[in-house]
Amino acid sequence: SLPQVKQLASCGISTLYENLGRDQKSRDRFMTEWIKRQNPIEGIYYDITSISSYSTKIDFIEWGYNRDQESLPQINTGIVCDMKSGLPVYYRTHPGSIVDVITLRNCIKYLQAYSLRDIIMILDRGFCSTANILNMSLKENQIKFIQPLSFSLKKVKELIVKNKKELSKTSTAFIYNQEILHHVTDKITFENTLCMVHVFYNEKAELDQRHKFLAELLEIEKSIAPCKSKTEFDSFLQNHVPKKYQQYFKWTTHLKRIEKDMLKIDEYLANLGFFLMATNEKTDKITMLEYYRNRDTAEKIFDVLKNEMDGNRLRVHSGYNADGKLFVKFISLILYMHISQKMKKA
C-alpha cells in the first residue's frame, strides 16, 4: 500500500518556507552536496528569468526589465544546468533591477566557490558584453566560455561584412541536421583579449526571416493613421504597433507624417541568417552547433517552473518566505526534470 501523505495547510506551508528561508547554512550544504553528486564535467548553461510579485515588503523585489512583459516589480533568478544531464545544478536570486550581464559576474564567483572551474560555460546572447568576456578571460577566473555575439556590437557587424562574400561560396557549405549551413572561423579582440569566432550563415533562415519581417512591417504600415503631432505619433506606436516593430517607424517633423525608418530596417535585414559565437576554447563547428542548439535547456526549465509549477508569481510577503519557496521550487525542478527524462527513455 502507498504511504500516507500528510497534507499541509496554508499556514503550515508558510511556516515551512520561513524555516527553510532562515536556514541559509542547510540550503548551502544541500547545494554543495548536489553539485558534487552531479559533478558537471563537460559544460553548463546559465540563464536568468524574472518572477513577478505584488509584494512591497521584500528587498529584492524591484522594478526592472521584465521578461514576461508584465507591469510588475520582480525578483531575478539565475539557474545553472548541466549540459549532459539536463538537470538544474545551482540557482541564485538577484534584485529585480539587476541586468543579465551583471548577474554573470556574481555567478562566476559562486561557481568557483563550489569548485566548478574546468568546464565550459554556454551563455545566452543577453549576457554578451565586453566586460563579461574580459571578466571570464581573467587569469584568476580562467573560465572557458561560448558566447553568442550581439549584433549591437560594431565589431560583430564588421565581421559579418568581412566574411559575407566567403560565406556565399559553395566551399564553406556543409550539412547539419538536414540543413545547409555555411561556416568560417575568424578572430575578435576585446581590448587585449583575443577570441576565436565561429561565423555561421543559414541562407534559408535569412529568406524566411526576411519574408516574415517585411510581411508584418507592411501590414502595420497599412494601418497607419494620420497624425498631426509627435504626441499623436507616440500614442499610435504604443497602442497599435507591437513593441519589437516600433523602432522601425519614425516621425518626420517637416512632413508631419509617419514613415518607415529605412536605415534601421536595412541594418536589421543585413544581419539575418547570421549567428556568431565567440570562444576561448578550441572547438570544431559541429560541436559549436550542438552547444548552440541545446542552449534552450535552461529555457525549458524556466517554462516548467512558470507553467507547470505555478511559479510565475512569488505570492509570499517576506524575504525568508521567498528564499524558502524558491528553494522548494528548485528541488521540485530537479525531480520534475529527472522524472520527465526517465519517462521519455521508457
Side-chain angles (χ1 to χ4, degrees):
S1 61
L2 291 172
Q4 289 292 98
V5 178
K6 184 178 179 182
Q7 299 251 339
L8 284 175
S10 179
C11 60
I13 293 171
S14 294
T15 302
L16 172 65
Y17 287 158
E18 184 172 355
N19 290 340
L20 285 169
R22 289 180 181 276
D23 195 353
Q24 176 76 51
K25 286 184 179 179
S26 291
R27 286 186 283 125
D28 285 343
R29 189 165 63 249
F30 171 85
M31 206 71 71
T32 302
E33 294 302 318
W34 173 239
I35 289 172
K36 282 181 185 175
R37 183 182 176 86
Q38 280 290 97
N39 189 27
I41 56 173
E42 291 185 22
I44 54 172
Y45 295 101
Y46 176 66
D47 207 349
I48 191 166
T49 193
S50 310
I51 299 176
S52 302
S53 177
Y54 295 104
S55 176
T56 57
K57 299 178 182 178
I58 303 173
D59 291 340
F60 269 31
I61 303 295
E62 296 177 348
W63 290 94
Y65 169 63
N66 193 297
R67 291 154 189 82
D68 296 327
Q69 307 298 315
E70 295 181 318
S71 185
L72 284 170
Q74 66 201 20
I75 191 170
N76 288 329
T77 304
I79 287 185
V80 169
C81 52
D82 181 17
M83 183 185 74
K84 193 172 182 180
S85 71
L87 297 178
V89 173
Y90 158 89
Y91 81 100
R92 203 78 191 181
T93 56
H94 307 277
S97 61
I98 296 290
V99 294
D100 291 8
V101 290
I102 295 175
T103 67
L104 182 61
R105 297 172 211 166
N106 298 330
C107 179
I108 290 170
K109 290 177 184 176
Y110 284 116
L111 291 178
Q112 290 175 337
Y114 289 116
S115 300
L116 283 176
R117 289 177 180 270
D118 193 28
I119 50 177
I120 300 174
M121 181 176 271
I122 301 114
L123 300 162
D124 188 70
R125 192 174 288 166
F127 296 100
C128 180
S129 74
T130 299
N132 272 347
I133 289 172
L134 292 174
N135 187 40
M136 288 187 287
S137 304
L138 287 173
K139 192 174 182 180
E140 60 265 32
N141 287 339
Q142 287 291 300
I143 299 288
K144 292 186 286 186
F145 64 86
I146 292 172
Q147 172 66 72
L149 294 173
S150 170
F151 296 129
S152 63
L153 295 174
K154 185 182 176 183
K155 291 181 179 182
V156 175
K157 294 174 186 175
E158 289 171 352
L159 275 176
I160 291 174
V161 173
K162 176 186 172 185
N163 289 288
K164 215 163 199 174
K165 187 175 179 181
E166 188 68 21
L167 286 164
S168 67
K169 295 179 180 178
T170 309
S171 58
T172 63
F174 69 102
I175 293 179
Y176 175 78
N177 282 358
Q178 299 182 330
E179 284 184 285
I180 296 174
L181 302 174
H182 294 259
H183 170 264
V184 296
T185 57
D186 208 322
K187 293 176 182 178
I188 191 168
T189 304
F190 295 94
E191 294 185 11
N192 296 321
T193 300
L194 185 69
C195 298
M196 173 74 75
V197 179
H198 290 258
V199 186
F200 293 93
Y201 170 61
N202 186 327
E203 187 177 6
K204 184 178 182 299
E206 181 195 4
L207 292 172
D208 291 344
Q209 291 165 14
R210 177 184 288 269
H211 183 273
K212 183 184 177 187
F213 174 77
L214 290 176
E216 294 191 31
L217 198 72
L218 294 171
E219 198 61 36
I220 292 167
E221 189 179 29
K222 287 197 308 190
S223 68
I224 289 177
C227 296
K228 297 178 181 178
S229 67
K230 177 72 163 56
T231 305
E232 284 187 27
F233 164 68
D234 291 338
S235 176
F236 172 78
L237 281 189
Q238 289 296 114
N239 298 319
H240 300 285
V241 180
K243 194 169 183 178
K244 66 177 181 178
Y245 287 97
Q246 291 177 9
Q247 62 179 307
Y248 302 112
F249 292 92
K250 64 180 181 179
W251 172 255
T252 53
T253 307
H254 62 290
L255 295 174
K256 295 192 181 300
R257 71 183 186 196
I258 303 171
E259 292 184 344
K260 297 193 296 294
D261 191 329
M262 295 309 300
L263 195 65
K264 287 186 178 178
I265 291 170
D266 289 343
E267 189 177 293
Y268 172 78
L269 293 175
N271 298 327
L272 292 181
F274 292 91
F275 52 102
L276 294 81
M277 289 178 283
T279 183
N280 57 355
E281 180 77 351
K282 288 185 178 179
T283 312
D284 63 85
K285 62 189 177 189
I286 300 298
T287 305
M288 287 294 288
L289 279 172
E290 292 293 335
Y291 287 146
Y292 182 78
R293 294 294 169 93
N294 293 326
R295 74 195 187 286
D296 65 344
T297 303
E299 292 174 13
K300 290 174 183 174
I301 288 173
F302 289 143
D303 182 61
V304 170
L305 171 66
K306 292 188 174 184
N307 298 312
E308 302 295 330
M309 295 183 176
D310 193 31
N312 62 331
R313 289 284 187 280
L314 211 48
R315 294 192 180 92
V316 291
H317 299 286
S318 78
Y320 287 128
N321 278 42
D323 288 340
K325 184 172 186 176
L326 288 169
F327 181 66
V328 170
K329 293 284 185 189
F330 178 71
I331 293 175
S332 302
L333 278 171
I334 293 170
L335 294 169
Y336 186 103
M337 299 306 291
H338 178 68
I339 293 168
S340 295
Q341 290 169 11
K342 290 291 183 184
M343 291 172 69
K344 283 177 184 176
K345 286 178 183 177

